Amino acid sequence: MSIARARTFRRHMSPPEARLWDLLRSEPFADFHFRRQVPLGPYYADFASHRVRLVIEVDGASHWTDDAIAHDRHRTAFIQSQGYRVIRFTTTDVLGRISEVAASIGVYLNPDA
């Protein structure tokens, strides 16, 4: 894992990633201290909160091929083996239904609410 590579990813976020990052830095999510492009083993998580052990992924069209689906399953299994929960949103959801995305994240962060 390269810290320099993670920094490059952070500087060059896609529009959906930038939109979700803005959401995660705002209230009520700011207190969960999400980080972006977080190295986890051999992978980079789009967003992660170590405090609540939650990883959030934003998946575009490149994630819908058979090979990509298999890769994402393996990747998710590894991240879960490290004690994290993983949730995924499509780029379409982040760009077009951000309030629903926020509500879904809120359920993961406050399951008893």
Side-chain angles (χ1 to χ4, degrees):
M1 299 303 314
S2 163
I3 297 299
R5 186 172 180 203
R7 287 182 181 142
T8 298
F9 287 156
R10 289 179 199 129
R11 281 192 301 271
H12 301 287
M13 289 189 296
S14 69
E17 289 172 332
R19 180 129 192 228
L20 186 55
W21 180 236
D22 286 343
L23 175 72
L24 295 174
R25 291 185 311 168
S26 69
E27 291 297 329
F29 304 110
D31 291 341
F32 293 98
H33 304 284
F34 278 93
R35 295 173 52 212
R36 56 194 168 135
Q37 298 302 326
V38 179
L40 292 172
Y43 304 106
Y44 292 93
D46 288 341
F47 304 96
S49 169
H50 296 305
R51 180 175 159 217
V52 293
R53 311 293 284 178
L54 179 65
V55 166
I56 302 173
E57 294 292 317
V58 178
D59 295 342
S62 66
H63 287 263
W64 305 122
T65 67
D66 290 341
D67 287 343
I69 290 168
H71 179 265
D72 283 345
R73 281 189 188 130
H74 185 266
R75 186 175 179 278
T76 296
F78 174 82
I79 293 169
Q80 288 173 332
S81 77
Q82 302 303 300
Y84 289 84
R85 294 172 295 160
V86 178
I87 56 175
R88 295 178 172 279
F89 297 101
T90 66
T91 56
T92 302
D93 288 338
V94 172
L95 291 175
R97 293 185 280 283
I98 196 68
S99 60
E100 288 91 345
V101 168
S104 294
I105 295 169
V107 169
Y108 278 86
L109 297 175
N110 302 301
D112 298 326

